[in-house]
Amino acid sequence: MGDSEVEAITDADATLGESPVWDGVRQRMLWVDIDAGDVHTFDPRTRHRTRRRYGAPLGFVRLADDGRLVLGRGGNVYLAGSSTSELVAGVEADRRENRLNDSAIDAAGRLWAGTMRRDATGAEGALYRLEWNDGTPTVRRMLDSVGISNGIGWSLDQASMYYIDTATHRVDQIDFDLVTGVLGNRRPFIQTEAARPDGMTVDREGWLWVAFPSHGQVRRYSPTGKLDGVIEFPVRRVTSCCFGGAELDELYVTSARDQNVPPGAAAAGGSVYRCRPGKQGQPANRFTTSRFLP
Ligand code: ZN
């Protein structure tokens, strides 16, 4: 797949790197270290990095339409500016053993964010939809009995949501109504057998890129669910991926520390990787904070 030579762009300093997202306005990549509670940024032109501490567990970072960051910490969603952090909503006051995990913004500016048990067992997580309605944030539980809520994406025609509950070893396809945000029929789309899918992104042509921490791979699938190619990484626990760079032609891949490898070893994990697989991503959707569209 193109020139998919893999380069580590950071030291292996994350415990659980996740949630990569490209900010096209500020031309920088952002991601979280869930266990450290940090948001990291990387500017590929200058290679300048920043790290900001918000507190663990920090499940995700996404972008809002007003320039703030959308953060999922513990069971709460925040909007974080340069000096302020505003609580938007809590999703699971009744499920203290859970925390927010991966998330995505749909094309209408809604936040979709899932949960999991902090110990990664059971199926007591859920998927939530958060949107701004007449100045009020509104949360709805959209899927229940989720093990580890992870990657979320959409088909190019917006008629399908792709959804990964890692515990199922599947990518599911769910009928999606962009106007109402309602989910319909859910069915298995990709069966991954022994492999455990984690985060994902959808490229400009509607193909899926899925990270497999069980195998040290990112796999590309066609819009019909056919395996098209595999990128191998020097570490096993690759967690999620996202296109970035000025042309959206660089694939950024987060990773986590592998407890089976001695710290400091080359395969210990915790770096962010980059490669150029010859494809382009889509600009990141932004959370709509001012109004609800359409
Ligand atoms: Zn994940």
Side-chain angles (χ1 to χ4, degrees), residues 16-19 34 59 101-102 148-151 166 197-199 213 239-240:
L16 180 49
E18 275 274 10
S19 188
I34 294 177
N101 198 41
D102 211 347
I148 303 174
S149 192
N150 259 311
T166 296
D198 190 343
T239 54
S240 190

Side-chain angles (χ1 to χ4, degrees), residues 10-30:
T10 72
D11 295 333
D13 51 14
T15 304
L16 180 49
E18 275 274 10
S19 188
V21 60
W22 175 253
D23 180 347
V25 173
R26 300 184 66 177
Q27 293 286 300
R28 61 180 190 169
M29 180 62 57
L30 297 93

Side-chain angles (χ1 to χ4, degrees), residues 106-122:
D106 71 21
R110 306 178 190 92
L111 173 71
W112 295 77
T115 60
M116 58 180 280
R117 275 185 63 106
R118 289 166 193 252
D119 63 6
T121 64

Side-chain angles (χ1 to χ4, degrees), residues 97-153:
E97 67 284 1
N98 284 6
R99 68 162 173 84
L100 284 160
N101 198 41
D102 211 347
S103 73
I105 312 277
D106 71 21
R110 306 178 190 92
L111 173 71
W112 295 77
T115 60
M116 58 180 280
R117 275 185 63 106
R118 289 166 193 252
D119 63 6
T121 64
E124 288 143 53
L127 178 69
Y128 296 88
R129 191 185 82 196
L130 170 59
E131 65 211 18
W132 217 264
N133 262 324
D134 295 328
T136 307
T138 308
V139 178
R140 285 190 181 80
R141 188 175 290 166
M142 303 301 289
L143 294 175
D144 216 338
S145 303
V146 171
I148 303 174
S149 192
N150 259 311
I152 301 166

Side-chain angles (χ1 to χ4, degrees), residues 1 4 6 209 216-219 229-233 251 275 277:
M1 289 194 288
S4 52
V6 170
W209 301 71
Q217 297 174 340
V218 170
R219 302 180 186 173
V230 177
I231 302 174
E232 304 276 355
F233 290 81
L251 187 70
C275 60

